Amino acid sequence: MTATAGSDGRPATISDVALLAGVSVPTVSRVLTGSARVTPGKQDQVERAIAQLGFRPNPAARQLSSRAAGAIGVLTADTSIHGYAETIRGIEEEARANGTAILITVIESAEEERVEQAVEAVLSHPLDGVIALKFDPAGVAALRRLPRSLPVVALAGARDHSRSQVLLAEKEAGRALTAMLLDLGHRTVHHVRIPSSSRNSGRAAGWRRALQDAGRAVPPPLDTGWDPRDAVRLGRLMALDDQVTAVFCGNDEIAMGVMRGLIDGGRRVPDDVSVVGFDDHPLAPLWTPSLTTARQDFAALGRLGVRLLREQLAGGGRVCRSLEPSLVLRASASPPRSG
Amino acid sequence: MTATAGSDGRPATISDVALLAGVSVPTVSRVLTGSARVTPGKQDQVERAIAQLGFRPNPAARQLSSRAAGAIGVLTADTSIHGYAETIRGIEEEARANGTAILITVIESAEEERVEQAVEAVLSHPLDGVIALKFDPAGVAALRRLPRSLPVVALAGARDHSRSQVLLAEKEAGRALTAMLLDLGHRTVHHVRIPSSSRNSGRAAGWRRALQDAGRAVPPPLDTGWDPRDAVRLGRLMALDDQVTAVFCGNDEIAMGVMRGLIDGGRRVPDDVSVVGFDDHPLAPLWTPSLTTARQDFAALGRLGVRLLREQLAGGGRVCRSLEPSLVLRASASPPRSG
DNA sequence: ATGAAAGCGCTAACAC
DNA sequence: GTGTTAGCGCTTTCAT
């Protein structure tokens, strides 16, 4: 039971196996791929030889002649942000169930050079197709540079008719969350906006819509990056403003930061200020007070994306699907103190 | 400016480029790889032809003849757990800086079949080497099945002299955290244990050591999985026991769950019960009360892992490096109420 | 500096 | 069923 062929350290090849098994190379290939039947006796000898040599088919050679990579590329921004991480988890899960691996490339920023680099990286590997997370401008830019000939599916972001896509229907949830706050008696609802693929993400659009529907002024949204520590600063700032009694945050991690800042600034949540988030982060129910939010099934987004890509590879056309978030009412939103 | 060669949809090959540029195939290869100088004039024609045809070298063919994949495999458990996610982020970052992509395969559990499947998946792709996260039993099992001939580095877990490895020196931090609690006046410190590569993770060993050093009885550790909701249940249970005044949790997310359970059970943190975590999760400083913990630089772990792999690929030998966590004292630990 | 020829390790096409 | 013959699209000798 040796792992090498002959005396040298060179890995065994299919012809080593053929030689040892006393059959031809294509016969070995046949038992490898199961593409045709082989006499049980030879089948056995081949399997024995494979085991004895510790033979593994060379993936590159295999792909060069068969044209299937068995891998899909994933283009994404920072993988440690909850929504991205969960989506990737879903992609990996579904891909693996299908015997497919995923090759991840992070787009560091929306700068031309970074985007180009990420796309280059993806295209320089043997891939059957690509899934691009289009939560942010970097994803949008990358998507634009992907060759038309490559099977691609876009996840989230604005509708793009030129490719298969899974949409996140966030607008209605954003509207409902805001309307709920208004119904509670708040005069207006402030919004802390996270980076998004377009000027207004679905959630922000829903927020705006709810305020307009209720005939309220729309306060200028506050912008933040992904780091919750930035949100703490914004929370401290908002603590200074008595007009702020309800805040709709772009996501749960930002909401947690804002709550912290508000509390640092001497305000109580939800007694003085109500705070709601978006996405339903796993820690949202554990927070004190537990966080009211809209649940997004990012893992399902990822899984669905892989399925659409698979359909496309099987010759299907461009498809568009949509996923709806659901409201999760918890303790961080309540009526304003004095109305 | 067409993206295809000829009238069919077939992607352009190097010989299409050679034909159009009026040079030989190897010459095109030379400008592609920069392996040898080419007359500026021809260089120009070749580049023009490449652009005109939208030519991209076929990665599989390239790899078959040159033997470098430009990708490394990553074997990991659930990617959405903080420590794993951050480590992967570090790996990706360092790999990308080096023009290398990462192919991620998740090991679903430590079951033989799952492990085998994950290893198969990794080996069936063109890879220069593999980095395995050895935080848990699944990682350990996978590592054992990886062929000796493949360049591999192990991240975290118990020392394994047969491969390059980056160790997390958690024992001392676990000891210090526990000793700190004891110094505060707590009679003993309870431990909630997360899954780990060996029966006792470094952090748990440090906890045990501190108690033994202080001559205290070692209470049986409580076991939990990764889901913070399980920790909430444990917290509720612990709230019932007056003997519990200090809890050292296997990681921060678990600590947050335990705190929630404790509070649900009517105990105050840290007034009635002190709780400390491990890892310094990004939300740890934002929690109420802010969480005392030991900071681990998982991203550095990942980056270092890639560097060791690179050294190995360049012909270097097996190396072992170690990373030390640092204590972060915040508000969740305080002296016990009555001493 | 450049082209002709060989070969990377496998699968596909075609005889038998 | 099985072996023989051709490639897949590149890089790498090796002449020139």
Side-chain angles (χ1 to χ4, degrees):
Chain A
M1 176 90 86
T2 163
T4 58
S7 49
D8 52 358
R10 169 181 63 83
T13 70
I14 194 171
S15 61
D16 295 326
V17 175
L19 208 66
L20 181 61
V23 300
S24 72
V25 166
T27 296
V28 176
S29 176
R30 281 168 195 128
V31 347
L32 246 28
T33 61
S35 61
R37 250 211 300 283
V38 169
T39 316
K42 303 210 166 185
Q43 166 108 14
D44 224 64
Q45 296 166 48
V46 169
E47 274 161 0
R48 214 183 302 285
I50 286 174
Q52 188 176 337
L53 296 172
F55 165 78
R56 312 199 63 92
N58 177 319
R62 199 160 217 187
Q63 200 214 320
L64 185 56
S65 41
S66 75
R67 333 236 57 173
I72 62 183
V74 177
L75 274 167
T76 173
D78 189 340
T79 53
S80 63
I81 299 163
H82 172 69
Y84 295 82
E86 277 295 293
T87 306
I88 292 170
R89 190 170 68 79
I91 293 175
E92 198 281 338
E93 212 175 288
E94 181 72 25
R96 178 159 37 88
N98 203 250
T100 304
I102 65 173
L103 189 126
I104 292 187
T105 301
V106 171
I107 318 163
E108 210 166 271
S109 76
E111 285 166 38
E112 175 119 6
E113 194 192 350
R114 300 284 131 224
V115 171
E116 185 58 37
Q117 184 194 10
V119 170
E120 273 318 299
V122 160
L123 296 180
S124 65
H125 291 271
L127 259 25
D128 295 325
V130 169
I131 296 186
L133 309 214
K134 209 183 136 197
F135 292 114
D136 49 63
V140 177
L143 220 29
R144 220 184 333 249
R145 294 178 164 278
L146 255 18
R148 256 64 218 4
S149 53
L150 186 72
V152 169
V153 0
L155 257 29
R159 177 78 187 105
D160 171 355
H161 288 277
S162 67
R163 347 203 71 136
S164 277
Q165 186 174 208
V166 186
L167 259 22
L168 253 21
E170 304 181 335
K171 186 171 175 184
E172 170 51 21
R175 194 206 57 74
L177 230 29
T178 309
M180 184 265 308
L181 254 9
L182 258 18
D183 287 346
L184 248 23
H186 295 274
R187 276 225 179 70
T188 190
V189 175
H190 289 257
H191 181 50
V192 179
R193 191 163 57 176
I194 51 172
S196 109
S197 62
S198 49
R199 268 255 309 305
N200 278 307
S201 63
R203 45 193 92 175
W207 159 75
R208 191 177 300 271
R209 178 49 161 284
L211 289 174
Q212 287 168 344
D213 283 354
R216 310 299 166 86
V218 179
L222 274 58
D223 282 305
T224 179
W226 296 112
D227 191 337
R229 283 171 303 186
D230 297 338
V232 175
R233 278 191 283 278
L234 290 180
R236 292 204 183 115
L237 243 45
M238 285 190 279
L240 268 27
D241 182 354
D242 270 352
Q243 304 292 354
V244 176
T245 67
V247 185
F248 170 30
C249 301
N251 75 24
D252 289 349
E253 286 145 298
I254 295 304
M256 293 172 189
V258 165
M259 282 167 68
R260 175 84 251 169
L262 249 11
I263 290 165
D264 290 351
R267 315 272 269 166
R268 289 166 306 165
V269 179
D271 314 68
D272 298 325
V273 183
S274 289
V275 176
V276 304
F278 213 90
D279 292 352
D280 198 25
H281 189 283
L283 294 172
L286 308 191
W287 200 261
T288 308
S290 63
L291 191 57
T292 288
T293 187
R295 173 171 306 149
Q296 300 244 65
D297 194 345
F298 288 111
L301 175 71
R303 287 192 300 264
L304 196 47
V306 174
R307 260 175 254 144
L308 293 200
L309 185 57
R310 205 149 58 215
E311 285 175 20
Q312 214 175 122
L313 292 172
R318 318 213 173 306
V319 187
C320 181
R321 301 284 227 82
S322 182
L323 255 27
E324 298 269 351
S326 58
L327 260 46
V328 184
L329 270 25
R330 289 197 275 244
S332 65
S334 70
R337 260 215 300 174
S338 42
Chain B
M1 176 89 87
T2 162
T4 58
S7 49
D8 52 359
R10 169 180 64 85
T13 70
I14 195 172
S15 61
D16 295 325
V17 175
L19 209 66
L20 182 60
V23 300
S24 73
V25 166
T27 296
V28 176
S29 176
R30 281 167 195 127
V31 347
L32 245 30
T33 61
S35 61
R37 249 210 300 285
V38 168
T39 315
K42 302 208 166 186
Q43 167 109 16
D44 224 63
Q45 296 166 46
V46 169
E47 275 162 359
R48 213 183 304 285
I50 287 175
Q52 187 176 336
L53 295 172
F55 166 77
R56 312 199 62 93
N58 176 319
R62 196 159 219 188
Q63 200 213 320
L64 184 56
S65 38
S66 75
R67 331 236 62 184
I72 62 183
V74 177
L75 274 167
T76 174
D78 189 341
T79 53
S80 62
I81 299 162
H82 171 68
Y84 295 81
E86 277 295 292
T87 305
I88 292 170
R89 190 170 68 79
I91 293 174
E92 197 280 338
E93 211 175 286
E94 181 73 24
R96 178 158 37 89
N98 203 251
T100 305
I102 64 173
L103 189 127
I104 292 189
T105 301
V106 171
I107 318 163
E108 209 166 272
S109 76
E111 285 166 38
E112 174 119 7
E113 194 192 350
R114 300 285 131 223
V115 171
E116 186 57 38
Q117 184 194 11
V119 170
E120 273 317 299
V122 161
L123 296 180
S124 65
H125 291 272
L127 258 25
D128 294 325
V130 169
I131 296 186
L133 308 215
K134 210 183 134 195
F135 292 114
D136 49 63
V140 178
L143 219 29
R144 222 186 328 253
R145 295 178 164 278
L146 254 18
R148 258 62 220 2
S149 54
L150 186 72
V152 169
V153 0
L155 257 30
R159 177 78 188 105
D160 170 356
H161 288 276
S162 67
R163 345 203 73 136
S164 276
Q165 185 175 208
V166 186
L167 260 22
L168 253 20
E170 303 182 335
K171 185 170 176 184
E172 170 50 22
R175 194 205 57 74
L177 229 30
T178 309
M180 183 266 307
L181 253 8
L182 257 20
D183 287 347
L184 246 23
H186 295 274
R187 277 226 178 68
T188 190
V189 175
H190 289 257
H191 181 51
V192 179
R193 190 162 59 177
I194 51 171
S196 109
S197 63
S198 50
R199 269 254 308 304
N200 278 307
S201 62
R203 46 193 90 176
W207 158 76
R208 192 178 299 271
R209 179 49 163 284
L211 289 173
Q212 287 168 344
D213 283 355
R216 309 299 165 86
V218 179
L222 275 58
D223 282 306
T224 180
W226 295 112
D227 191 337
R229 282 172 301 186
D230 297 338
V232 175
R233 278 191 284 279
L234 290 179
R236 291 203 183 116
L237 244 45
M238 285 188 280
L240 269 26
D241 182 353
D242 269 352
Q243 305 292 354
V244 176
T245 68
V247 185
F248 170 30
C249 300
N251 75 25
D252 289 349
E253 286 145 298
I254 295 304
M256 293 171 189
V258 166
M259 281 168 66
R260 174 84 251 171
L262 249 12
I263 290 165
D264 290 350
R267 316 272 264 157
R268 289 166 307 165
V269 179
D271 313 66
D272 299 324
V273 182
S274 289
V275 175
V276 304
F278 213 90
D279 292 351
D280 198 25
H281 189 283
L283 294 173
L286 307 191
W287 204 260
T288 307
S290 63
L291 191 57
T292 288
T293 188
R295 173 171 307 150
Q296 300 243 65
D297 195 344
F298 287 111
L301 175 71
R303 288 192 299 264
L304 196 47
V306 173
R307 260 176 252 143
L308 293 199
L309 185 58
R310 203 148 61 212
E311 285 175 21
Q312 216 176 121
L313 292 172
R318 318 213 175 305
V319 187
C320 181
R321 302 285 227 80
S322 183
L323 254 26
E324 299 270 350
S326 58
L327 259 47
V328 184
L329 270 26
R330 288 196 275 244
S332 65
S334 70
R337 260 218 296 178
S338 42

